Each structure stands twice: as C-alpha cells, then as structure tokens.
Amino acid sequence: MGLLSDPVRRRALARLVLRLNAPLCVLSYVAGITWFLALAFPPLTQRTYMSENAMGSTMVEEQFVGGDRARGFARDFAAHRRKSGALPVAWLERTMQSVGLEVYTQSFSRQLPFPDETHERYMVSGTNVYGILRAPRAASTESLVLTVPCSSDSTNNQAVGLLLALAAHFRGQIYWAKDIIFLVTEHDLLGTEAWLEAYHDVNVTGIQSSPLQGRAGAIQAAVALELSSDVVTSLDVAVEGLNGQLPNLDLLNLFQTFCQKGGLLCTLQGKLQSQDWTSLDGPLQGLQTLLLMVLRQASGRPHGPHGLFLRYRVEALTLRGINSFRQYKYDLVAVGKTLEGMFRKLNHLLERLHQSFFLYLLPALSRFVSIGLYMPAAGFLLLVLGLKALELWMQLHEAGVGLEETGGGSGPSALHPPAQGVGLTSLVAPLLISQAMGVALYILPVLGQHVATQHFPVAEAEAVVLTLLAIYAAGLALPHSTHWVVSPQAPDRGWMALKLVALIYLALQLGCIALTNFSLGFLLAATMVPTAAVTKPHGPRYVLVSPHLSQCLCLHHRARPHSISLSPTWCLYSYHGAYTDVVPPSRPLYAALLVLTSPAATLLGSLFLWRELQEAPLSLAEGWQLFLTALAQGVLEHYTYGALLFPLLALGLYPCWLLFWNVLFWK
Amino acid sequence: MWASFICWWTQDQAEQFFRSGHTNNWAVLVCTSRFWFNYRHVANTLSVYRSVKRLGIPDSHIVLMLADDMACNPRNPKPATVFSHKNMELNVYGDDVEVDYRSYEVTVENFLRVLTGRIPPSTPRSKRLLSDDRSNILIYMTGHGGNGFLKFQDSEEITNIELADAFEQMWQKRRYNELLFIIDTCQGASMYERFYSPNIMALASSQVGEDSLSHQPDPAIGVHLMDRYTFYVLEFLEEINPDSQTNMNDLFQVCPKSLCVSTPGHRTDLFQRDPKNVLITDFFGSVRKVEITTETISLQRDSGIMESSHEEGQRDEELMEPLKYAEQLPVAQIIHQKPKLKDWHPPGGFILGLWALIIMVFFKTYGIKHMKFIF
C-alpha cells in the first residue's frame, strides 16, 4: 500500500504536515541560510586542483623580457590616442603588422535604446583591430584570444603595450599549436560583443558590424587584460560573466598556479587571499569574498570583456592590474611572464576545457565550493514554499476532516464547505492583471521614454528609470479591485487558492533561476521566501468567529488593554487567526515587509551590502543614486548584451510578487 | 698442460656459445598513449628502440608501435627530435626511425594480432612478427595503466589475462624460444602476474598499488621527457655493447627505489635458466654466434651430451627435452581450489533472535495499538 493512498495514513501525514508546518518551515529556512553561511568553511570548501592533464604543471620556461618594449608601445599608443582622440586604428594596424601579425579591422555601430549616462554614449561607432598569429606548424582549427578593451573612460594603454610586446615575443616562438588572436576593442564591451558576434556569424543584439576578414578556428580560451600603470601591486581576476556564467575552473586554476610560480600577489574580488584556513580568520574572510562573488554573479552583468566570451562557451577571464599603495610592485615583465606561461599551457590543450567544474563558488582563489555542496542551501529555502503549498492544498481539500477529528466540535468545520473544485476562474483575473503589469514594466519604460521627455523635464535615461519605478509602484495600487468574481460563500478559499498558485509559481521560478544562476536564485529566495510564506489577508472577513467568543474577546481586550500581549488566551486565539478586527491589524506591517522583500528592494539592499563588503559603505543618498544607475544599466545591458536579469524580474518575479500583494489585500 | 687448459677454456666458451638456444632476436616496442603531455611515453619507447637497434636488431626484426608523433607535434619547440635527457643531451629519435604501427593503428587488436601472428595476408612483412621457436623476443610496453590493465590510446585497455593468454598462444604456436617482457606503467607488476607460459621473464617499473613516476622535467619543451624506470634502463643499456657479459641480474638492479621512487619488480619463475646466465644481449642484441679461433675445437656430436658435462647445464638439458605445454584451461585446478576464507560473520540465527528481541521489547513498551501511527 502506498503511503498516500491509504486514507488513515494519509490523514496522519496530513496532520503531521499541518501541525508541524510552521516549525518545519522555520527550520528549513534557517537550515538554508546556515548552510549558505557555512559554505566558506573547510568541510564544504575544497582546495582547487588542476583536472586537465594537458595543463598539469607550470613546467614551462617563460622567456618574455620585453618590458621596455611594452612600455614603449604603451607610450606611443597613448600619444597617438591623444592626438586622434579615438582608437588609433592606423597606428595599431601598422604596429601589429610590424611585429608580424596578420592584421584585420572591423567597424561596428550601435544605437543604444537610450543614452548611457555612466559611459556617456548613445550613438556608438567604433573599430576593432585584431591581429592573428598563425601557428607555424598546425592547421588553423583552434585559437586563443588575448583581448584588451579600450574605451574613453578607461585608458588601458599599458595593456595595449603589453599585448603588442607579447605578440612580438610569441611571434618568435615556433611551438604554437593554436593560432593566437590579439584583439583590441573600442568602446570596451560593445566592441567585444560586435567582434564576437561577427566571429561566430550571429546577430543576437542587433549591432551593426562589418564581417570579419580573417578567422582562426574555434576559440578555446580567452584572456582579457586591463592594465593602466607601468607597475602593478597585484592582479585581480574576474570570473563572473553574462547572466552569471562562469569559466571552467581549470582556467582559474591555471592563473592561480602561475601567480604562485611568479610570486605575484593575486586577488579575487579585490580581497587579499588568506593563507590560514585552520583558524576562523580564513573562512571569515572567505565568506566575505564568497558574498561578494554571489552579489556580482547575481547581478548577471559581464564583469569584464571575458563575460561576453562565456556565452559562446569560450572559457575566459579578465585580469586587472591594480596599482595601490603597497610597497612591493611588479613590472610588466612579471605580468607578461604570467600571461606567457598561461598561453603556453593553454597551447598544450588538446580539447576544450571541460574536465573541471563549470558551476562553483569561490571563497578564495585556491578554494572552491562545488555545485553539489552549495545547492542544498537553495533547496532548503525552496522547501519552505513547498511545505506551505502543501499545507494550503490540504487545507483546501480535507482540512475539514482533519479538524473534525481533533477538535471534535462542529464550529471550525462549518467554515470550510465540503471539498470541491477550487474556483479557478477567480484566479484568472489577478493572474492576468499582474502578468500584464509585468509586461508593461518590461515594455513601457523604453517605449515611452520620448513621450516622458516631452511632458516632463527629464533626460531620456532618467525618464526610463522613473517610468520603471512608477509602473512598479503602480502595480501595488492596482490589484485591490481584482476579486470581483469571488463567490461570497467561501471568501477564504479564494485567497488560499491564489496563494497556492503564487507559491508554486514562485517556487518554480526560483528553482529554475537557482539552477542556472545560483547566486541570483539564492538571493531572491532568501528575501522573498519568508514573506511569501507568511503572507495572508488579515482582513475582517478572514475567519468568522462565533459571536460570543468574539464578544468575550472584545470585552477582555477593553477591560485590560495593556495586558493583552501577556495574556495566554490572546496568544492562543491570535495564533489561530480568530482574533480579528479588534487589535490593530498587522496588515501594514505585512505590507511593509512585503515591499521590503520585493525584487527592487532586494536590488537596493544588495547594493548596500556590496559596498559594505567592499569596505566603502554608502550613504542613503549615494545608495539611491547608485540604485537608479543600476536600474538604467540593467535595462541597457539587457538591450546591448542580452543580460536576462531585467526581463526575469519584470516578466517573472514582479508579477509573482504582485500575486502575494494581492493575497495580502484580499477582501 | 697449457694447451690443454686453452683447449678446455675454448671448449667452455663454445658451450657458452650455444647456451641460450636462440638463433634470432625480435623486439616489439609499444607506446600506447597519445597526446603531447605523454611525450615521455614516446621517448621511453624510442629509447629502447635506440638501444636494441644499436645492439644489432635490425628494423626488419623490430615492430615499433607509437601512438603519437611527438617529433612532428606542433607543440614541440625542437622539431624532429625526441629527447630523453633534459638540456637536449640525448636525442632518441635519431636519424632513421621506422615506425610500423602508428597513431590510431596502435590498438589492442593490432597488438594481439602481431603477437599471435593472426594477421591478414595483405600485411607487409615489416608489420609482422615473423618469429619461430628459436626466437628470443623482447616486448616493451609503456603507457598509462592500472591494476591489471594497460590503457591503449584513450579508448580501450588490454588486461593482464588477455596478455597472458596471448603469450600462451605464442608458446603453443612455437613463436618464441624465450621472451623478455618489460613494462613501464603505474602498477606495472600487475601486468605480469597472470603469465603462465614457460620461458618468460618479466620486469615492471612498479608494484601493484604504486605509481610509476616521470623524470627529466624540461621547461623548454614544457613536458616531462622520460619515465624514471626507463630512464635508468636506458642509462644502463647505453653502457652495453654487443660483447658485454652483463647479465639479467644486473638489469634487475637497474633502478633501486631510491632512484625510481616506485619499486621495480621482476618475475623469473617461468623462466628455465638462471637469470645470471642470461646475457642482456640475449634479448636486447642480435648477437651472431661467431667466434674466430685459431684452435681446433673438438666438440661432441650431440650438444645435449656436451652440456651434461657442464656443471650448470642441468637447466639447459631440461630446455632441450620435448617441452610440455601448459594446460590452457586448468579445469581440475579450478575445481579443486580451496574456497576463499570469508570474514567472520555472526550466525544468521543469532541475528534473527536479536531482531526478534528488539521487536518484542519495542511492542511490549509501546503496545500494538500504536502500529498505525508508525506506518
């Protein structure tokens, strides 16, 4: 006999779920959060190790000595750039040709959906320059990429210099089995996107670009370099890519081993690496780094040009030279040798990087948490939604039977009419309305920006952000009038069914998000789950208490207003929801909670947390400014690179959240 | 008196002459792994190839199987070379390497077909092992192995049982007189422990449970150039010349644990002769038994009688007797095998009783009426 098909056992199980529901939910939520916080501690973090045989050791001889040459190239590049005011394409072509590369250019143009105020660009047109170093003794079937993004606000002169010097050095070696592409892009990521789309002959973001004249086979790996000083104190590595994609862990391991070999100071998320993992310091610092990584991954932005390569399943990372106030500095030779070693080892690759993890979290450069170990954290959080949904389901269907048995009285069971089809028609209106709000949130801001600028004294970017916020807020006002179809006989069945649907909808969405981008899924689950679980309408018609009980309570309340919270009877009845319109309703409190845990508020909170962890705390005004910028950037990145955070929030989570709002204000 | 001593001495020499009983030498040298990072396996095989060729086995008697071409790999900074020593001291690729089976031709099937001679008639002579019952064969293998198998390329394996059966088949088809098997791989000793055919001597670079380690890391080439065991074997072989009197016992000592890190193993119980009488050149060289003497040597007509006079000729006498063939499927032996001793386990009745007790105590305590809440 199955556990659920026997009515007796089923009732026992139902009672268990109903009675222990609240403790189980709390336990599950706490377990999820604790599990997540424990991820930075040694049993859950493991040391990284190189899985790829072909890159097994750092046993290569770095012969790069072109530090002076790199600085010379950098100076020339800076001078030509100043003179022309843009990327000195002709000079780059000439120089690349002189070091012996096959040089090609690609021009592109793109009109952004609205002016980008942080980068000050709207109608963008530029030129990418790339040179291919052909492997002397191999067919051009595979290639590696070294790319330097150039834009007006970041100089990156030294990176270009080092790229050219490395190209000159690599040209002199005969052991290349893969072609090497040296790519300098204009308008940083826009140029990278244009080049990548043209290289793979696709057009996903609607950018106009000229086709590529030269190709070099499938790209196996890419390294992006950002360097703006002649000396560096440390190298920071960025791995988080578009939509939270990550490169294969082996690529990071490779970087880390060469960092160690060259004695370079390498950082992750700008944090120094703690060596001491036996005491509490290492893991605590690891937790900070881990949280930073989660926040950056959840943002779904490409944190460097490497982020766009990941979409084409090209393993890539970005190295940033940091020049801080530390005493010990490294020159371009040290950085060049690290890159040379990495490229030499990547050259040894025989197949795509696939041996190591693709899904991981990093508490430190040398430690990682694999997907099998971090996923339970999200699982526990989602279990809360499942438990709540189960409880509602049971209450909707056979609560009457369960209560009859325990209570013995006919009072409560009278509240629940016999189990029958839940009026699904009553759910159509709220579902449709909130989904329509989501669509409006997704489409209107960009579509209506010109209308907004005509009627209000704002710029386009501001118009988009403000429309976004206005629609978001308007959504809160709308759903009050959505339950006109609810049958009057079973008022609470309506909201229960709605909440049930909302819970399942939320659980499905969060589950899917957590599978593709754990960080985003977890952050949203951690904030949305508790309020979603406790939300219920605290209106006067929630439970019909028998009149005398109600009166008695009222009397009780009026007689001893100050001792209410201490009275055990009060506790008892308020727990059962029987105490209704006499005490100040908790609806505003719930509403505030719900607003605080809405997707937009989560974004705002994440910004504050992020700056806090970076030890550059924000004031409230700064935070608000940053929030508005982040909104504009989020929309822009969706249109320019295809980042999915904005549509996900607008079309998925916001409507779902509105359903809970609807539940709260159910009359 | 002096003349008689000379006569005795030369006679002894002449007896030594025919002691090994082989008339020709063959070598099968196999590298089973491909990919650039397995450079060392190719170098291992080529270093043995270099030695046997230097000691006189011609290319026509060597079947060389190389799974990859390191000399022409685009990643090789020194094209057309394969070095066994760092600093480019010794190029084992040499000037004339005749590879018989290469890249995807190096498969378990091809290897076993070469050994057993079950080869399509169209196969050229250079790809065949045309040995007979007077042939001494050297089989050298290297690659990535485990307990009881050796990996071929990235797709298949040969097990120690398959290998042992192949050798038995060779023996039954009278394809060898004596066979020297050398393997340089992790857990190499597991590959020879199943051999059951006579006249096989086997050496391995490591014991079961041990890894075989690499040697000679070269940053300029960017890989390890050799494995430790073969490196020291090559060093040893470089000292050998066709008239060296070095014997197999010296080869067993070649790579002590202090140098090899792993423990090299050898197996001689199937071999009929004492290893100290077996010259290295019996397998690694193709020494033609030619000796020019000015003396007249009177030999008895029957070599068997002659060797019986020799003090240590007893084993050789056995060798010359009609040889017995091992039973291919030792059914009787298998049937009469003692059952394997199991770990002690408490008797079933005891466990049953214990559970009954537990259940009884349980129901005594909680009563039968709670049953429905449990299930």
Side-chain angles (χ1 to χ4, degrees), chain A residues 434-465:
Chain A
S434 33
Q435 212 57 50
M437 281 310 291
V439 173
L441 188 68
Y442 176 65
I443 294 175
L444 286 185
V446 176
L447 200 67
Q449 52 173 321
H450 300 296
V451 182
T453 44
Q454 277 162 17
H455 292 85
F456 301 96
V458 286
E460 276 96 344
E462 280 175 323
V464 170
V465 173

Side-chain angles (χ1 to χ4, degrees), chain A residues 356-426:
Chain A
S356 197
F357 293 85
F358 283 104
L359 300 159
Y360 51 86
L361 291 176
L362 294 167
L365 260 181
S366 57
R367 303 255 165 183
F368 77 105
V369 187
S370 78
I371 178 168
L373 291 173
Y374 67 62
M375 221 51 201
F380 276 124
L381 295 192
L382 296 185
L383 182 65
V384 175
L385 297 180
L387 280 172
K388 271 288 161 197
L390 198 62
E391 184 195 26
L392 279 176
W393 179 256
M394 286 177 173
Q395 279 176 350
L396 276 173
H397 278 263
E398 50 179 344
V401 193
L403 288 174
E404 232 170 51
E405 202 178 70
T406 45
S410 59
S413 66
L415 304 176
H416 302 273
Q420 61 187 12
V422 179
L424 282 178
T425 43
S426 68

Side-chain angles (χ1 to χ4, degrees), chain B residues 167-175 325-328:
Chain B
F167 287 162
E168 174 62 18
Q169 209 177 119
M170 285 173 78
W171 174 248
Q172 299 205 1
K173 292 175 84 176
R174 298 184 176 242
R175 285 175 66 77
Y325 297 106
E327 213 176 339
Q328 208 161 13

Side-chain angles (χ1 to χ4, degrees), chain A residues 3 8-9 12 15 52-54 57 59-61 137-138 142 174-178 344-345 347-350, chain B residues 35-37 71-80 154 216-224 372-373 375:
Chain A
L3 188 67
V8 180
R9 289 178 192 173
R15 204 168 25 215
E52 176 62 57
N53 266 324
S57 65
M59 196 179 52
V60 288
E61 191 175 30
R137 290 186 285 141
E142 293 178 342
I174 62 162
Y175 46 65
W176 298 113
K178 302 179 190 345
R344 181 101 195 255
K345 273 290 167 192
N347 180 50
H348 283 186
L349 275 184
L350 295 146
Chain B
F35 306 138
W36 174 243
F37 55 88
C72 296
N73 193 304
R75 294 168 184 83
N76 192 342
K78 309 281 171 203
D154 250 8
Q216 301 286 319
D218 187 301
I221 298 175
V223 284
H224 287 272
K372 63 178 181 219
F373 296 109
F375 300 105

